[in-house]
Amino acid sequence: MTTTTITSKGQIVIPSRIRKHLNIKSGMRFVVQEQGNKIVIEQVDQHYFDQFAGILEGTNATEDLLKERKREKERENKKWSKS
């Protein structure tokens, strides 16, 4: 077990042994989550996004957004044609 200290800016240092073991490099991005009394830090990589695959099963977000945008344009056109 290794300990670390939080700075006045809220920063912590991930110990060198852990950084080397997990191949953590400068500039990598992480998600920080609170789970009960624990802080969980998880790298934002393809594995992170794969966890969410299938959450919106049966939907295509891109198609849904395009359809919604088309409906918005139609509403705006109707609004302007009435003026």
Side-chain angles (χ1 to χ4, degrees), residues 66-80:
L66 290 171
K67 287 177 186 176
E68 179 60 27
R69 182 63 186 129
K70 182 178 177 182
R71 287 191 295 266
E72 287 176 9
K73 282 184 178 181
E74 290 172 355
R75 286 192 294 265
E76 283 186 28
N77 290 338
K78 286 181 185 177
K79 176 182 172 184
W80 287 109

Side-chain angles (χ1 to χ4, degrees), residues 50-65:
D50 288 345
Q51 296 177 75
F52 302 106
I55 287 178
L56 301 175
E57 194 170 327
T59 65
N60 182 321
T62 303
E63 286 180 17
D64 291 345
L65 290 171

Side-chain angles (χ1 to χ4, degrees), residues 22-36:
L22 297 176
N23 200 27
I24 296 172
K25 305 289 183 196
S26 177
M28 289 178 135
R29 306 218 20 119
F30 292 84
V31 173
V32 180
Q33 298 177 350
E34 178 183 354
Q35 291 182 357

